[in-house]
Amino acid sequence: MKKKNLMRLLSLGLTAVMAFSCLTGCGKSESTGSESESSASAQVESKTDAAEQTGDAAEEESSTKVTFPLEESVKMSVFVQIRPNVDNFEDNAMTKWLEEQTNIEFEFVVAESAEVDTKLNLLLSTGEYPDLIMGMNVGSSLQSMYGEEGVFIPLNDYIEDTTYIKQMFEEYPQVLDSLTMEDGNVYKIPMVNDALHMQSNHKMFINQVWLDNLGLKMPTTTEEFREVLRAFKEDDPNGNGIADEIPMAGSPKGWNASVENFLMDAFVYDPGVQSGAKRLFVQDGQVVASYTQDAYKEGLKYIQSLFDEGLIARDSFTMDGQGLKNLAYSSDDVVLGCFPGGAQSNAYTVTDPQVAEYTALEPLMGPDGVQTAFYNPYACIGASGMCITDKCEYPEIAMALADLLCSPEGTMWNHSGEQGVDWDWLPEDTDMVGINGKKARYWAKTMPSDRMNAYWNQNGPDYLSSDLRLSQAVDPENPTNEVFLYEMTVNRYLPHCPDISEILPPLVFNQETQTEISTLAATIDPYVDEMVAAFCLGEDIDANWDTFLKTLEDMGLSKLLGYYQEGLDKYNSK
């Protein structure tokens, strides 16, 4: 680090200190209006190497704060990737805002989305990497490997002196846990996007209009659900006089739209893909596979019986996400009774009138009283973030930049676009309400923005807390679909979620172990998918169950579970 340059840049006499006085806490306090929200401060204590300094010089520099805008400009090179509606980072409204706020001159190393992994790995392996790595592709294995090699610098000490980043980790301790590597260091500042409906997004959408037309109650058990599907098939609920109704359909390629995701939770917890693992959860402290449990076998028999009666479309295991939509739109009349997924967009464009016919079905109770909902308390952890490399001459300034990006204003720029055009804060006396029904704090045209190069679209870190996200203004006469998803999640799904101790958290593995896990999973997961489909579609479950379990053991399932158990034990010991 060039200490003299840093001292020249960080003047104690700077008076342009800008603060988010009314959004301190990232969503915990009420806004006082756009006038007081118009600027941000970023102050981080300068870290020093005592071995390089003595006496007054060390004391002087250790008390220095980074205050934006810098008195003298600095350059920083940044790796970023092309994102939807973002193909130019130089001529970009957010870049210009950041440069005005910080006096940092950015030099971008840009990767197309399709080449991001290849380009990033090449830069890191050849030593030609820039000061900062931002984007979606620095997972725990890369953090661990390049952190140990010294390419990524540890951020622990810098975190202590931030404002918004520190608040983020205090509010979401699971995020900090997931970023702490085996050596105890944190090498990445993440993106946190806490959309509440994402915490439980294995939903089932059922046609309320059809239920009303047939005089049926909302089903609450697996057998009541069967009776409803029978009625959907046989009693012409759309009233067109044609037997064109499809009681239920799904897709393994849609967003959590596999037919077994929702239904299996009435028998045993089935997380689908979670924390990088497939169908694994924690039972009494032990990592187990849902598909080896006796209850899973019973769930398969139930789903098979629905297929046998023609109550689920048989191509639900083969059609892609577009195929499910084509099925939903195959007639001018509504023909689809139920479909699983994270949102109605699996089957319909959410602005189409058909969507209004559907509501979310509460988790069903199975024959043994099991009634669970998918739960992912780690859903708020985004793939994007920022790592500071050893090429960066001014890591204190880089960390202050990260803190600015995690401020409410920085976060809104990164998610919604240009302030005053794509979004803005509302006055304190507004009578508008947010997604959660409380006083709104900002309006936004769309999130994310639909304008080209108005923002970075979630390149780098930010901190969209639940409070901040839910305080987006909505029209009560024409609410956004997120209002519906929020209400359904809070009222119908979260009450049935398992304890966080049963959820497999994001685990950190070294490169060798991660490679071994990936190799094992590449054989086991497709086999399970194949057999789940075969069993549901009619293969004799009892006659083939022992062979199924033995094949899994031969493929190395116990070894795979052992790796995850070791990772979980280390995670719990932090």
Side-chain angles (χ1 to χ4, degrees):
M1 184 187 303
K2 296 182 179 179
K3 301 292 184 182
K4 292 182 179 179
N5 287 346
L6 181 63
M7 286 300 299
R8 186 177 71 248
L9 291 163
L10 307 179
S11 169
L12 291 174
L14 287 175
T15 58
V17 178
M18 299 163 291
F20 277 108
S21 59
C22 302
L23 277 178
T24 301
C26 281
K28 291 300 183 184
S29 60
E30 296 293 336
S31 166
T32 60
S34 58
E35 181 178 350
S36 61
E37 312 256 23
S38 61
S39 58
S41 70
Q43 296 186 343
V44 180
E45 182 178 349
S46 175
K47 298 299 168 187
T48 63
D49 184 351
E52 296 180 12
Q53 304 181 73
T54 58
D56 294 339
E59 182 178 354
E60 179 183 8
E61 184 164 337
S62 66
S63 65
T64 301
K65 299 281 186 179
V66 173
T67 305
F68 288 148
L70 301 171
E71 195 169 64
E72 294 185 28
S73 177
V74 299
K75 290 184 179 181
M76 283 193 181
S77 53
V78 187
F79 178 87
V80 291
Q81 67 182 84
I82 297 297
R83 297 276 293 150
N85 296 324
V86 183
D87 62 6
N88 190 324
F89 287 89
E90 287 82 8
D91 187 15
N92 184 290
M94 181 172 169
T95 301
K96 294 175 182 177
W97 175 77
L98 282 171
E99 289 179 341
E100 290 172 356
Q101 294 290 307
T102 64
N103 205 15
I104 297 172
E105 182 181 340
F106 295 103
E107 297 176 344
F108 294 102
V109 179
V110 182
E112 297 285 345
S113 296
E115 65 171 12
V116 114
D117 288 331
T118 302
K119 188 165 185 175
L120 179 58
N121 289 332
L122 180 63
L123 291 172
L124 291 171
S125 63
T126 59
E128 299 299 321
Y129 48 85
D131 300 325
L132 308 177
I133 306 293
M134 294 194 188
M136 307 288 183
N137 295 72
V138 185
S140 60
S141 295
L142 286 180
Q143 293 169 51
S144 178
M145 179 171 66
Y146 287 108
E148 291 176 2
E149 292 180 5
V151 174
F152 297 157
I153 68 169
L155 305 177
N156 306 48
D157 291 340
Y158 300 105
I159 290 170
E160 286 301 311
D161 295 314
T162 60
T163 298
Y164 302 108
I165 293 170
K166 190 173 181 180
Q167 288 175 354
M168 175 173 64
F169 289 146
E170 288 172 352
E171 184 174 359
Y172 297 92
Q174 71 271 33
V175 176
L176 181 59
D177 288 341
S178 72
L179 292 168
T180 303
M181 299 295 106
E182 288 184 339
D183 62 4
N185 288 323
V186 174
Y187 297 101
K188 177 181 175 180
I189 302 303
M191 176 187 78
V192 166
N193 182 359
D194 190 7
L196 193 76
H197 62 274
M198 296 292 289
Q199 292 184 20
S200 189
N201 56 20
H202 287 190
K203 295 178 172 67
M204 179 72 76
F205 299 97
I206 186 168
N207 195 307
Q208 181 68 60
V209 172
W210 285 13
L211 290 173
D212 295 341
N213 289 346
L214 300 178
L216 298 173
K217 297 188 301 182
M218 186 71 68
T220 60
T221 69
T222 50
E223 287 310 306
E224 288 178 1
F225 184 64
R226 182 197 304 275
E227 292 302 320
V228 165
L229 293 184
R230 285 172 175 166
F232 282 178
K233 178 183 179 183
E234 299 168 359
D235 296 342
D236 192 26
N238 66 10
N240 65 359
I242 304 171
D244 57 355
E245 288 86 357
I246 303 162
M248 177 180 164
S251 165
K253 302 297 184 182
W255 177 27
N256 294 332
S258 296
V259 294
E260 75 275 14
N261 278 354
F262 175 88
L263 296 176
M264 193 60 72
D265 282 335
F267 297 86
V268 64
Y269 184 62
D270 181 22
V273 178
Q274 188 168 17
S275 299
K278 195 164 188 178
R279 301 187 179 99
L280 303 185
F281 68 102
V282 182
Q283 188 176 72
D284 299 325
Q286 299 299 306
V287 180
V288 297
S290 61
Y291 47 80
T292 63
Q293 310 301 305
D294 289 340
Y296 197 90
K297 178 182 176 182
E298 296 307 308
L300 289 173
K301 289 181 179 180
Y302 170 75
I303 297 171
Q304 184 187 81
S305 72
L306 299 181
F307 274 100
D308 288 345
E309 291 191 52
L311 303 179
I312 304 178
R314 290 194 67 81
D315 52 358
S316 292
F317 283 103
T318 56
M319 61 181 166
D320 59 16
Q322 186 57 50
L324 180 57
K325 292 181 178 180
N326 292 342
L327 195 66
Y329 284 106
S330 60
S331 170
D332 291 338
D333 297 311
V334 175
V335 296
L336 186 56
C338 302
F339 59 94
Q344 310 95 307
S345 55
N346 271 343
Y348 297 100
T349 301
V350 294
T351 55
D352 283 355
Q354 297 95 321
V355 171
E357 296 195 13
Y358 294 86
T359 189
L361 176 62
E362 193 166 359
L364 300 170
M365 182 177 291
D368 293 329
V370 176
Q371 185 181 24
T372 59
F374 170 78
Y375 182 43
N376 185 5
Y378 308 99
C380 63
I381 306 173
S384 190
M386 186 183 91
C387 298
I388 303 175
T389 75
D390 60 347
K391 297 284 186 72
C392 183
E393 294 185 86
Y394 309 113
E396 296 91 348
I397 296 175
M399 199 64 174
L401 170 65
D403 205 37
L404 173 59
L405 288 168
C406 289
S407 70
E409 191 171 18
T411 295
M412 290 302 301
W413 269 91
N414 206 5
H415 278 261
S416 289
E418 185 175 359
Q419 184 174 0
V421 178
D422 300 298
W423 69 276
D424 212 337
W425 307 114
L426 292 167
E428 185 178 7
D429 60 355
T430 182
D431 58 359
M432 299 188 73
V433 297
I435 293 169
N436 57 4
K438 299 179 182 180
K439 181 185 290 188
R441 295 163 56 198
Y442 65 93
W443 62 264
K445 287 183 178 178
T446 58
M447 187 182 287
S449 173
D450 58 3
R451 291 199 307 123
M452 285 298 296
N453 301 315
Y455 63 157
W456 287 6
N457 196 358
Q458 302 171 54
N459 263 291
D462 57 45
Y463 176 27
L464 188 57
S465 67
S466 178
D467 284 351
L468 182 58
R469 181 170 183 130
L470 294 175
S471 65
Q472 179 183 349
V474 296
D475 180 358
E477 300 300 321
N478 187 28
T480 64
N481 195 53
E482 187 167 348
V483 174
F484 168 80
L485 294 175
Y486 167 78
E487 292 175 349
M488 294 297 101
T489 302
V490 169
N491 297 319
R492 299 187 182 181
Y493 289 88
L494 291 184
H496 301 290
C497 287
D499 188 79
I500 192 172
S501 63
E502 298 179 43
I503 309 304
L504 188 68
L507 301 175
V508 176
F509 301 102
N510 60 38
Q511 191 70 34
E512 181 180 353
T513 301
Q514 184 61 62
T515 299
E516 182 66 16
I517 288 173
S518 298
T519 300
L520 291 168
T523 302
I524 293 170
D525 291 345
Y527 173 69
V528 174
D529 290 341
E530 176 187 344
M531 293 309 299
V532 166
F535 286 143
C536 288
L537 292 174
E539 187 163 322
D540 193 319
I541 297 173
D542 285 325
N544 292 284
W545 190 252
D546 289 343
T547 300
F548 170 63
L549 296 180
K550 184 178 185 305
T551 302
L552 288 170
E553 191 60 32
D554 293 343
M555 288 179 170
L557 177 59
S558 292
K559 191 174 183 180
L560 178 68
L561 294 176
Y563 284 132
Y564 278 108
Q565 186 65 50
E566 182 179 354
L568 179 64
D569 292 341
K570 289 181 179 178
Y571 180 91
N572 288 333
S573 67
K574 291 179 183 179

